[in-house]
Amino acid sequence: MSGQSLKKLVVYYSLEGNTKFIAEVIADKIGAELLELKPQTEINSRGFLKYFVGGRQSLFKQSPKLESLTKNPQDYDLLFIGTPVWAWNYAPPLRSFFSSVKLSGKKIALFCCCQGQKGKTFAEMRKALAGNEILGEKEFFNPLNNRNENKKTAEEWAKQIISLII
Ligand SMILES: Cc1cc2nc3c(=O)[nH]c(=O)nc-3n(C[C@H](O)[C@H](O)[C@H](O)COP(=O)(O)O)c2cc1C
């Protein structure tokens, strides 16, 4: 398949902008479309309470209702799926996504943003995405704190993923 005809989508959730930053860098580099997952009720990103509210959502494996998806992931050949790490796991809006969109036979690359403790994030994403081909995974440490270096790393990684399939 040529790079031009390959349909690429970056799906992500981001509370504080780090995952959004990486998602946009990847999409820009490889010419992919973007699909942001937005909970109907977002938690307050300011203050310490977010760790309690979000951490509890994650530990109890909750699936917050999402706003309607603006793109159909089934229409794409290659998906990058990104999440912040919440309580050593992927963030709950991703759980809502995995249960509402049953992906199979897709090529998928995983990325996460965290402060250094990703725990079982990728293992759990792989479980939720069984039946797809996972091409790679990459973690970023609060990339907004070091934009230039993380931009470069994300671009190189995205190119490497693309080179695996074309
Ligand atoms: C509710 C909550 C739980 C978190 N749990 C973890 C964690 O278990 N491990 C970790 O390294 N960082 C954890 N973090 C930090 C975020 O993963 C990190 O700041 C990430 O870059 C945020 O991405 P975002 O800006 O796209 O929301 C947590 C943050 C929140 C809000």
Side-chain angles (χ1 to χ4, degrees), residues 2 13 21 25 27 35 43 56 60 62 66 76 80 96-97 101 127 130 132-133 146 151 156-157 160-162:
S2 85
Y13 165 71
F21 172 69
V25 166
L35 174 60
I43 69 173
R56 191 180 54 186
F60 287 95
Q62 292 176 353
L66 300 179
Y76 298 81
F80 284 76
S96 314
F97 175 72
V101 179
K127 254 196 243 171
N132 297 280
E133 185 186 353
N146 191 347
K151 178 171 186 278
E156 280 168 8
W157 177 64
Q160 187 197 326
I161 294 291
I162 293 286

Side-chain angles (χ1 to χ4, degrees), residues 65-166:
K65 279 211 173 87
L66 300 179
E67 287 182 9
S68 305
L69 302 184
T70 53
K71 305 214 163 68
N72 181 359
Q74 305 291 2
D75 294 343
Y76 298 81
D77 311 297
L78 169 66
L79 292 95
F80 284 76
I81 302 182
T83 180
V85 173
W86 282 13
W88 311 280
N89 203 342
Y90 58 79
L94 272 289
R95 180 166 291 102
S96 314
F97 175 72
F98 293 142
S99 59
S100 66
V101 179
K102 296 290 173 203
L103 296 171
S104 77
K106 302 285 186 195
K107 296 183 187 304
I108 299 180
L110 308 174
F111 64 99
C112 73
C113 294
C114 66
Q115 289 174 346
Q117 294 201 33
K118 69 177 184 308
K120 58 189 176 181
T121 301
F122 289 137
E124 291 292 311
M125 289 175 93
R126 281 173 180 267
K127 254 196 243 171
L129 291 164
N132 297 280
E133 185 186 353
I134 307 300
L135 298 172
E137 52 190 45
K138 190 90 186 161
E139 71 185 299
F140 298 87
F141 302 122
N142 278 349
L144 288 179
N145 291 345
N146 191 347
R147 288 171 187 248
N148 289 347
E149 193 184 315
N150 283 290
K151 178 171 186 278
K152 203 166 151 247
T153 306
E155 288 177 342
E156 280 168 8
W157 177 64
K159 262 177 25 198
Q160 187 197 326
I161 294 291
I162 293 286
S163 73
L164 297 174
I165 45 178
I166 56 175

